[in-house]
Amino acid sequence: MKINTAEFIISNSDVSKCPKEPLPEYAFIGRSNVGKSSLINMLTGNKNLAKTSAKPGKTQLINHFKINQNWFLVDLPGYGYAKVSKKTKEIFQKFITDYFEKREQLVCAFVLIDIRHEAQKIDLEFITYLGETGVPFCIIFTKADKISRTKIDSHVAAYRKALLANNWEEMPQHFVTSSLENTGKDKLLEFIDEINDGIFKNNS
Ligand code: GTP
Ligand code: MG
């Protein structure tokens, strides 16, 4: 799939104010600084679309980007950033969980994991939460440029092991990406395109 247009539509902290159109959407979630906003920019080929920063805590709201005028990419705030005050953290969590529990247009969540690190409790807990909530999701390993190619498979295998130890029966569908080197772009867009095709066929 080729992305011809990608436009910012709206930011907000209230899921009831998200766009009302019944278009499929795909949301990016994961620890602060894992590369959610950078991945949206990589996929759309627009470095300035989603705001990124070397400092964690940059994205603070639910951001809708309309793609090719008929589906959405959604950039979300990260979790697990200790410097956000406790009160703000609670509000983040509430509107993030509201988003996952109430947003009917959400087709698939992409949980981003930094490929360099061992499995972290907070990500495993979030994945369990998505499973319990019945939200379909995939795992996207980010920053693959930061480890040698030969290590990629062993890091993915280690993650699979951690998930199985955490009561998952199988590794969910996953992608390996680097926003710096455009790795994984075609596969991810192809995945989205296939789902969208099924949805649009059923609706017509
Ligand atoms: P929050 O909005 O704070 O939750 O962060 P985020 O997950 O949106 O991360 P963001 O895209 O802002 O990227 C955080 C930092 O990681 C930035 O300095 C990016 O340049 C860097 N980064 C993101 N993706 C990659 C990647 O694939 N490779 C490398 N080397 N750096 C990356
Ligand atoms: Mg961000």
Side-chain angles (χ1 to χ4, degrees), residues 6 38 62 72-74 77 83 92 97 103 116 119 130 134 139 141 160 184 203:
S38 301
I62 303 170
F72 286 105
L73 287 176
V74 180
K83 280 198 180 140
F92 277 4
T97 52
R103 186 69 176 159
R116 291 173 294 175
L130 288 180
I139 290 181
F141 294 100
R160 174 176 180 272
N203 289 349

Side-chain angles (χ1 to χ4, degrees), residues 109-152:
F110 293 116
V111 180
L112 274 60
I113 304 287
D114 188 323
I115 198 161
R116 291 173 294 175
H117 307 315
E118 274 178 28
Q120 315 256 318
K121 190 163 169 251
I122 193 166
D123 294 317
L124 295 171
E125 279 174 4
F126 194 81
I127 288 171
T128 299
Y129 161 76
L130 288 180
E132 285 169 0
T133 313
V135 175
F137 71 92
C138 296
I139 290 181
I140 296 186
F141 294 100
T142 64
K143 308 195 185 185
D145 57 279
K146 294 215 181 210
I147 60 171
S148 72
R149 240 167 242 190
T150 51
K151 283 199 176 142
I152 289 178

